[in-house]
Amino acid sequence: MTADVIIIGGGVAGLSAACFLSEFAQVTLLEREPALATQSSARTAGQFTAGISTNTMRALAAASRAFFQAPPPGFCEQTLVAPRGCLTVGREEHRPVLDRLMARLQEAGSDCRFVDRQEALALFPALRPERVHAGVFEADAMDIDVDLLLQSYRKVAAANGARFVCKAEVTSIRRIADTWQVTAGDRTVAAPVLVNAAGAWADRIADLAGVPALGLKAFRRSAFTFPLHRQDAGVWPHVTTADYTWYVHPQPHGFTASPAEADPVSPGEVYADDLRLAEAIHHIGIDTELAVPRPSASWAGLRTFAPDRNPVCGGFPDHPGYFVSAGQGGCGVLTSPAMGRSLAALVAGRDLPGDLSAFGITQDQLAPGRFLQA
């Protein structure tokens, strides 16, 4: 089997890359799982926020907002996002944290404001007054329909002729002349361009390809659901604490909550940590009046970070035709439009799209070479 581009990894990084690359190239995507997007991409809370601590990641999120609000014609028939808002609350000792968050949101062009205790309680009435002194409200934070987004990336790529092969665990990668040959099971695919979008497994794929690993690290994030506190709770904003001991995300029929932990783990299937869930339930009980019974469901996902905690997107000068899109650190869904478009431009040998450059995103900021310099 031959192609113009082989993509390894069928999560949001791979699917967004397939969507934009398929506009000008024949794409074959290989996914080791039985179905696409079954790992971290399917386990996200689906929140769009620009309140991200690292600069390049925050800029990619801000640059992706317009895509979510007005997708290209034919991308999807329904809306991708819905208003939600994001409220971060703290006590007096957390004021420096709130100040930094406010500065980041303002830099990203978000509709945000400081709120006092009274407004915080009006926004999220389950908060305990004695545990809240102030907060920051990101009014234009949104819910992302993650399923629709992933399906749309796949639909557009398939309409452009992209091929998707699941149950295809890569076992061998070789560079022969100017072609990458990737073996997965009993299938070998050849293409001049190879895109490593394997998430937490990206460094393992790099080793197979004989390309320097980037030092990517995977961290577990646990989550669980529980019933709504009351009928109007479904329209409350996402809320978290300034010390990040928990977050609660209202859904139409219940809450999604998390201890917001980042425990280092090896790439692989991960499960919610019961002790971490118990800690989150304890802290939610202290900070709110939400009665959290036994969780309705629980799960965990992987958040993969590069050493500087900013994403990696680009090629390696010493390894022609090899590109990587990885290290999105739990923000893969909300940065995927900008990341996918950036990757497509770099593979095509073009400059980054002008609208992305307007947010201060540069090729050097994304380049994997920043970790390889002596």
Side-chain angles (χ1 to χ4, degrees):
M1 182 185 296
T2 61
D4 297 324
V5 179
I6 302 167
I7 299 173
I8 300 175
V12 69
L15 288 172
S16 59
C19 175
F20 296 109
L21 284 167
S22 67
E23 294 178 359
F24 59 85
Q26 172 62 58
V27 171
T28 294
L29 183 149
L30 304 175
E31 167 55 47
R32 63 193 291 269
E33 300 291 344
L36 299 171
T38 58
Q39 289 287 336
S40 298
S41 298
R43 306 177 188 187
T44 175
Q47 182 200 23
F48 180 91
T49 174
I52 304 167
S53 59
T54 49
N55 57 338
T56 305
M57 193 89 78
R58 183 169 61 253
L60 287 165
S64 296
R65 185 191 298 275
F67 182 97
F68 286 118
Q69 293 177 323
F75 185 78
C76 57
E77 295 181 359
Q78 297 83 29
T79 57
L80 283 171
V81 291
R84 171 62 60 189
C86 179
L87 175 65
T88 302
V89 295
R91 299 182 295 279
E92 288 293 347
E93 63 266 29
H94 298 137
R95 188 64 190 227
V97 177
L98 296 175
D99 287 340
R100 289 193 293 271
L101 173 60
M102 187 67 174
R104 293 197 299 267
L105 290 170
Q106 289 175 328
E107 177 187 297
S110 296
D111 179 4
C112 56
R113 64 181 183 272
F114 282 113
V115 297
D116 58 16
R117 174 188 291 152
Q118 182 178 358
E119 186 172 3
L121 292 172
L123 289 166
F124 200 93
L127 291 166
R128 295 187 186 275
E130 68 274 14
R131 300 290 295 175
V132 178
H133 292 97
V136 170
F137 183 55
E138 183 184 0
D140 52 0
M142 301 175 286
D143 285 346
I144 302 172
D145 188 330
V146 178
D147 286 342
L148 178 60
L149 177 69
L150 297 172
Q151 291 167 12
S152 299
Y153 281 143
R154 184 188 186 284
K155 178 196 70 174
V156 171
N160 289 335
R163 296 174 296 215
F164 299 90
V165 185
C166 295
K167 295 184 181 180
E169 183 169 2
V170 174
T171 55
S172 172
I173 302 174
R174 296 184 299 165
R175 179 75 173 176
I176 300 177
D178 59 354
T179 301
W180 290 99
Q181 293 193 359
V182 179
T183 300
D186 60 358
R187 178 184 287 102
T188 297
V189 187
V193 174
L194 172 62
V195 173
N196 180 352
W201 291 264
D203 274 354
R204 294 184 182 178
I205 295 298
D207 288 341
L208 286 176
V211 176
L214 299 175
L216 299 168
K217 302 295 183 183
F219 298 84
R220 184 192 60 235
R221 170 63 56 86
S222 301
F224 61 98
T225 57
F226 64 95
L228 289 174
H229 178 63
R230 61 192 208 195
Q231 287 188 341
D232 64 344
V235 299
W236 294 352
H238 175 104
V239 65
T240 188
T241 54
D243 55 2
Y244 217 46
T245 52
W246 58 267
Y247 73 70
V248 166
H249 189 92
Q251 307 280 7
H253 305 293
F255 288 110
T256 296
S258 173
E261 89 277 26
D263 295 333
V265 294
S266 298
E269 184 61 66
V270 290
Y271 303 92
D273 184 294
D274 289 341
L275 178 58
R276 290 294 198 180
L277 298 187
E279 290 173 349
I281 292 171
H282 172 72
H283 287 298
I284 292 170
I286 290 174
D287 293 331
T288 78
E289 296 176 354
L290 296 173
V292 182
R294 183 180 180 86
S296 307
S298 63
W299 64 94
L302 294 174
R303 298 159 60 87
T304 304
F305 289 93
D308 63 3
R309 302 185 78 81
N310 272 311
V312 187
C313 182
F316 290 68
D318 294 336
H319 299 273
Y322 178 91
F323 294 82
V324 63
S325 177
Q328 292 92 339
C331 297
V333 167
L334 66 103
T335 60
S336 61
M339 280 286 284
R341 293 175 63 216
S342 296
L343 179 69
L346 295 172
V347 169
R350 302 192 301 261
D351 293 333
L352 297 183
D355 60 310
L356 303 190
S357 300
F359 287 91
I361 302 167
T362 69
Q363 184 173 342
D364 288 344
Q365 287 176 325
L366 298 172
R370 68 186 193 267
F371 303 118
L372 307 177
Q373 297 170 359

